[in-house]
């Protein structure tokens, strides 16, 4: 396996230490000819990485614009230990630089998070959790539909939704996936919300998805249904969601994302008993972020060995348009 001249780049060195463990950094130094230190944009513009061939990074990567890339003329590949690369991908493509991202690694914890919420939602757990507050209520009739033969809808068809569908394959459930592009949909959102016991939103963060999920969709949901949002808050018309949750106490909304984030101080999202908030924790956090580093280390090994890459980013994969 060839040893490329490598560097670790970041505008915030502490983020590197958060994502890459000491053991992972040591492995990178073993399998590459690694420059000593962590380099930022100013370092690059000063010519300190003129001979570097590959770089490793994560969140807070220096802006890889044409000016920065011009000061790394030997750069052949970027290994980005995080998810979306839209903010810097196109200059890399224009310069013929291979770009790899841990987007698939970042999809795993979101899918696992949603799997847990879906299974609990189907059992009626969240509805019980907010109403079972005295001895007498232990005798109430079962509300959950259970996990056998029910319908779950996943809105979006990206990495998270596909990983979640794979995990749900371990259960006897009917899983319907709704593509993010309207032209590709065979099942409408109207039909999806009316049919499913759980609807989980995984739309990509694009401007054409703003307000995609309406109060009418939520109001049409079945008795005791659950709505999960780990996509983006702005994809849901939250004022309409609040109105529906007030009228339909049987429904449950599990919101890991909101708009704005966090909600305003006086938002009723904090006080509605059938709305459960979590502070954007579905994605990779703490121990989970090291998986992203592992993915990029393994990808570098494939690159250095001349093998097929698994996580290379192509322009058609970007979320945002070319405009």
């Amino acid at each position: 396996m060839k040893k490329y001249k490598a560097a670790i780049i970041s505008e915030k060195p502490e983020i590197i230490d958060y994502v890459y463990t000491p053991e992972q950094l040591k492995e990178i130094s073993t399998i590459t000819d690694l420059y000593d230190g962590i380099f930022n944009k100013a370092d690059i513009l000063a010519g300190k990485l003129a001979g570097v061939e590959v770089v490793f990074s994560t969140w807070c990567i220096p802006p890889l614009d044409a000016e920065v890339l011009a000061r790394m003329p030997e750069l052949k590949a970027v290994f980005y230990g995080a998810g979306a690369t839209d903010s810097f991908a196109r200059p890399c493509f224009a310069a013929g630089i291979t770009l790899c991202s841990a987007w698939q690694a970042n999809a795993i914890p979101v899918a696992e998070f949603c799997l847990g919420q879906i299974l609990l939602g189907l059992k009626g757990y969240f509805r019980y959790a907010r109403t079972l507050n005295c001895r007498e209520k232990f005798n109430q009739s079962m509300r959950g539909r259970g996990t056998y033969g029910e319908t779950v809808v996943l809105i979006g068809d990206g990495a998270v939704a596909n990983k979640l569908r794979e995990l749900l394959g371990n259960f006897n459930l009917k899983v319907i996936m709704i593509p993010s592009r309207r032209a590709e949909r065979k099942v409408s959102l109207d039909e999806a919300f009316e049919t499913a016991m759980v609807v989980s939103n995984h739309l990509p963060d694009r401007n054409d998805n703003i307000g995609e999920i309406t109060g009418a969709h939520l109001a049409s949901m079945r008795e005791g249904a659950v709505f999960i949002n780990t996509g983006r808050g702005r994809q849901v018309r939250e004022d309409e969601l609040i109105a529906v949750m007030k009228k339909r106490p049987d429904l449950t909304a599990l919101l890991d994302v909101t708009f704005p984030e966090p909600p305003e101080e006086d938002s009723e999202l904090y006080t509605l008993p059938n709305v459960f908030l979590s502070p954007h924790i579905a994605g990779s956090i703490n121990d989970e972020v090291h998986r992203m580093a592992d993915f990029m280390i393994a990808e570098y090994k494939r690159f250095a060995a001349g093998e097929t890459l698994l996580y290379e980013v192509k322009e058609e994969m970007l979320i945002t348009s070319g405009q």
Side-chain angles (χ1 to χ4, degrees), residues 131-281:
T131 60
L132 198 57
N133 55 13
C134 65
R135 180 184 177 91
E136 289 72 20
K137 291 188 178 180
F138 270 84
N139 296 321
Q140 62 187 318
S141 61
M142 293 296 294
R143 288 175 172 167
R145 298 294 303 178
T147 59
Y148 192 81
E150 260 299 344
T151 300
V152 175
V153 164
L154 310 180
I155 306 176
D157 54 355
V160 174
N162 277 285
K163 182 62 180 177
L164 181 53
R165 180 171 62 176
E166 175 189 330
L167 295 176
L168 289 168
N170 294 306
F171 304 88
N172 194 313
L173 294 167
K174 181 181 180 182
V175 180
I176 300 173
M177 185 176 289
I178 310 293
S180 62
R181 302 288 185 184
R182 295 180 183 87
E184 299 174 6
R185 294 174 183 170
K186 297 180 180 179
V187 177
S188 69
L189 284 187
D190 292 346
E191 183 180 351
F193 274 88
E194 292 170 2
T195 302
M197 183 51 62
V198 178
V199 176
S200 187
N201 175 43
H202 305 283
L203 287 172
D205 190 16
R206 295 195 312 255
N207 289 338
D208 63 326
N209 290 325
I210 296 175
E212 179 88 351
I213 298 168
T214 70
H217 290 136
L218 296 161
S220 71
M221 296 184 81
R222 293 162 53 192
E223 168 76 19
V226 177
F227 171 67
I228 300 169
N229 191 12
T230 57
R232 286 294 184 269
R234 66 178 187 159
Q235 295 160 356
V236 180
R237 301 183 191 181
E238 285 186 352
D239 56 338
E240 297 178 13
L241 177 145
I242 289 170
V244 172
M245 291 297 125
K246 292 167 71 173
K247 292 180 181 178
R248 292 280 308 274
D250 63 289
L251 298 179
T252 298
L254 307 175
L255 308 179
D256 190 55
V257 290
T258 59
F259 187 78
E261 193 173 294
E264 299 290 355
E265 189 68 33
D266 59 352
S267 174
E268 291 182 273
L269 293 176
Y270 291 117
T271 56
L272 283 169
N274 54 345
V275 174
F276 292 75
L277 298 177
S278 54
H280 206 143
I281 59 172

Side-chain angles (χ1 to χ4, degrees), residues 3-320:
K3 275 192 173 185
Y4 285 94
K5 293 180 181 180
I8 297 171
I9 62 174
S10 178
E11 293 300 298
K12 294 185 178 180
E14 64 272 20
I15 300 297
I16 295 295
D17 292 334
Y18 175 60
V19 174
Y20 292 83
T21 67
E23 293 77 16
Q24 289 170 325
L25 292 172
K26 182 177 180 180
E27 183 175 8
I28 292 173
S29 71
T30 299
I31 61 179
T32 70
D33 181 8
L34 185 65
Y35 287 43
D36 185 32
I38 298 173
F39 301 85
N40 58 25
K41 178 180 179 180
D43 295 325
I44 298 170
L45 293 179
K48 293 183 180 181
L49 297 184
V52 75
E53 297 174 296
V54 301
V55 295
F56 291 83
S57 191
T58 182
W59 299 303
C60 299
I61 188 172
L64 297 183
D65 53 28
E67 180 186 19
V68 168
L69 292 178
R71 304 312 296 269
M72 296 186 287
E74 303 301 317
L75 185 63
K76 296 174 175 59
V78 175
F79 298 93
Y80 182 63
T85 59
D86 294 61
S87 64
F88 60 88
R90 288 188 174 84
C92 291
F93 298 152
I97 295 167
T98 298
L99 174 60
C100 301
S101 162
W103 52 284
Q104 287 282 9
N106 203 33
I108 293 172
V110 183
E112 293 173 341
F113 183 87
C114 293
L115 173 65
Q117 291 191 323
I118 289 169
L119 297 180
L120 290 174
L122 290 170
K123 296 290 285 187
Y125 170 81
F126 299 101
R127 194 172 180 187
Y128 278 122
R130 64 178 180 265
T131 60
L132 198 57
N133 55 13
C134 65
R135 180 184 177 91
E136 289 72 20
K137 291 188 178 180
F138 270 84
N139 296 321
Q140 62 187 318
S141 61
M142 293 296 294
R143 288 175 172 167
R145 298 294 303 178
T147 59
Y148 192 81
E150 260 299 344
T151 300
V152 175
V153 164
L154 310 180
I155 306 176
D157 54 355
V160 174
N162 277 285
K163 182 62 180 177
L164 181 53
R165 180 171 62 176
E166 175 189 330
L167 295 176
L168 289 168
N170 294 306
F171 304 88
N172 194 313
L173 294 167
K174 181 181 180 182
V175 180
I176 300 173
M177 185 176 289
I178 310 293
S180 62
R181 302 288 185 184
R182 295 180 183 87
E184 299 174 6
R185 294 174 183 170
K186 297 180 180 179
V187 177
S188 69
L189 284 187
D190 292 346
E191 183 180 351
F193 274 88
E194 292 170 2
T195 302
M197 183 51 62
V198 178
V199 176
S200 187
N201 175 43
H202 305 283
L203 287 172
D205 190 16
R206 295 195 312 255
N207 289 338
D208 63 326
N209 290 325
I210 296 175
E212 179 88 351
I213 298 168
T214 70
H217 290 136
L218 296 161
S220 71
M221 296 184 81
R222 293 162 53 192
E223 168 76 19
V226 177
F227 171 67
I228 300 169
N229 191 12
T230 57
R232 286 294 184 269
R234 66 178 187 159
Q235 295 160 356
V236 180
R237 301 183 191 181
E238 285 186 352
D239 56 338
E240 297 178 13
L241 177 145
I242 289 170
V244 172
M245 291 297 125
K246 292 167 71 173
K247 292 180 181 178
R248 292 280 308 274
D250 63 289
L251 298 179
T252 298
L254 307 175
L255 308 179
D256 190 55
V257 290
T258 59
F259 187 78
E261 193 173 294
E264 299 290 355
E265 189 68 33
D266 59 352
S267 174
E268 291 182 273
L269 293 176
Y270 291 117
T271 56
L272 283 169
N274 54 345
V275 174
F276 292 75
L277 298 177
S278 54
H280 206 143
I281 59 172
S284 298
I285 58 172
N286 297 325
D287 290 346
E288 294 167 336
V289 303
H290 307 318
R291 181 195 284 122
M292 300 191 299
D294 275 338
F295 270 46
M296 289 301 93
I297 292 170
E299 189 78 331
Y300 167 79
K301 291 178 180 178
R302 285 185 284 269
F303 176 81
E307 298 174 357
T308 300
L309 300 178
L310 299 182
Y311 309 116
E312 184 177 0
V313 179
K314 300 292 187 180
E315 187 158 11
E316 61 269 18
M317 296 165 56
L318 299 183
I319 294 173
T320 55

